[in-house]
Amino acid sequence: MSAPPRRGAAVRAAARMARLSPPSSPRAHDQRGSSAASSSSSSSSAAAPAHEGASDDERQAAAPRKRRRVSPARSAAAVKHAAASPLPRRTASAPTRRKRSVGAAEWAFLDAAEPHVQAVAVPPLRVHARSYHAPLLLAPPSTERPDGAVLGRAARSALLGWYDGVAQQRAMPWRKPFLDPAAYIGREAELRAAQTQRAYEIWISEIMLQQTRVETVIPYFERWLAAWPTVRDLAAASTDDVLAVWKGLGYYSRATRLQSGAQKLVADPELRGLLPRTAHELVAVVPGVGPYTAGAISAIAFGEAAPMVDGNVQRVLSRQLGLYASMKSSATTQLLTEVASRLVRAVAEDGEPKGSAKGSTPKPSDRPGRWGQALMELGATICKPKPECLRCPISSTCRAFAEGEALARKPLSRQEAVPDMEDMCDLCEPLSDDDETNAAAPAPVATAAKKVGGAVQTKLSFGAKSKAAVKVAEPSAGIEVAIERHVRRFPRKTEKKEARLEQCVVCILRREDGRVMLEQRPEHGLLASLFEFPATPLRSDDLSSSAQRALALSHATLVSGGQASYVRSAGSITHLFSHIRLVMHVHELRVPEAPAKPNGERRKWYAEEEVEKQSISTGNARCWALAQGKTSKKGKEK
Ligand code: SF4
């Protein structure tokens, strides 16, 4: 039997060689991008070798583990070979990396014994092994670095200490002291009831906080708790009342899911209105509760070592790990969840008495909840999309920060350590070609040490250290900019899908007595159960005013059951949903002799002053305001 063709392996090797091209080559970055395309594409080639479809672990086991250093000349030849390949090229802006399978064995690299001694992955090539992403926040206690940087447990304590200070400053009604089980010995039922109440409040606040700012949520949260103080109260509420209290927060299905969740908990013969304590059970039992909310409830209310990974935490962790990958990839989100799980467990174990059995489940405590909130608070206030790294309590464990620092002294740096070929990181994407990090770094001028809680967090040392420079207390604005510019690239940005454009005709329909027609949307789906004016889609091939008028007339006649007459056009507004850009053309009509009962059970006539009291969607509220002459025709508030 003849040997299978080796084209896929050859191209993959070429891609790796191109990746290892020396940074001095001005074309190195482009070359790596194009050759990587061949590697990726080859994985699905019919000519691929037998182990091509195997998992990464299997492939690593099958591959010879031989360390190779690649000369620039050989690398250039490999690039040339790859460039000649007819396979499609990969660019940084259009990655074609195949989907990776993820399993427990995949996380072995997180246990790297000495991640702290790995060389910084200097941009733009960022040559590094997978184990580069082993969190420095988990570095073992014996870890020491020559610069005295705080790592491992000391860094975890620094973040907790920082959070304890700022939590007081940003008071929120759902932030309350932990219910310590030790204070309830012999009163377990009382503890369980109190924990459920705390869990209920966290559940409500976390659902409200999705896509919404804290300042906006606080009054809604207070009104909600005043209306339905317990799970049982919410289960017994009317859906219309729930929607009315939610009105203005948007994404109304969140409110109806909260209520159906409460009803399910009350109806459950085992739970009888109690919230489950583990994240796993919460996701399984409560509708609308995903892994993030479940982690928050379990950690904060019950003290379990459960991770909570929202967008803020993803950003913090991707920077801490130096992980330049899309947050939309399931491999990335699973890795970050795994890291968050290990971190919260380590923090819980930090609080265990000395001599506790290793690997045993830590006792419930306030530490997991404080830790999760600390990461979220850091992401919300310091590690923002535009970060303020010099205020960060854990900059010493941050890979992105270190890379930014290395970039600031780029002329002096060299890529020294070339990792084992088989260990090359396949999680990170190449840095985008159009990124501003490739612009010239500011001249290094200062050395500074920063103290957080008495511990040296990081030292900035750029270029020659003149006496004058050493005296400078803070880094120059130029260096700050260089670090921030690099850090801001994490996590890797993904292109947003453009919202689909749709158009519709909205009918403000009045009876002779002035009553206005509203219809209630279905109980499930977009804007579930909300009220709106009768509307019908407008075909994009005829948007003329005569077409709109004819459509409005026929729709008004249909829904009212009487002959409608046209009054006027009130104008148009554009309303944005996450995936739809809806242009709403508002028309007023009359139905002099409308039957008392309109067509359709979900349609009713309302007195004009009652319209605004109904739970109408924001887009329809804008249409109503337009018809009342309260907004301009472009739909902007006056
Ligand atoms: S050093 Fe900067 S990028 Fe790193 S975690 Fe802190 S704020 Fe975020």
Side-chain angles (χ1 to χ4, degrees), residues 315-317 319-320 378 382-384 387-402 483 487-488:
R315 184 169 58 249
V316 173
L317 292 184
R319 290 170 174 176
Q320 280 284 320
L378 188 74
I382 292 183
C383 195
K384 299 172 286 189
E388 297 176 46
C389 296
L390 297 181
R391 290 177 52 217
C392 178
I394 49 171
S395 57
S396 56
T397 55
C398 183
R399 292 287 193 194
F401 182 92
I483 293 173
V487 163
R488 283 178 73 168

Side-chain angles (χ1 to χ4, degrees), residues 29 159 185 223 255 353 418 429 452 466 475 479 494 496 567 589 592:
H29 193 219
L159 182 60
I185 291 172
R223 281 197 292 273
V418 177
E429 298 285 348
V452 175
S466 70
I479 292 165
T494 44
K496 269 194 180 168
V567 178
L589 302 104

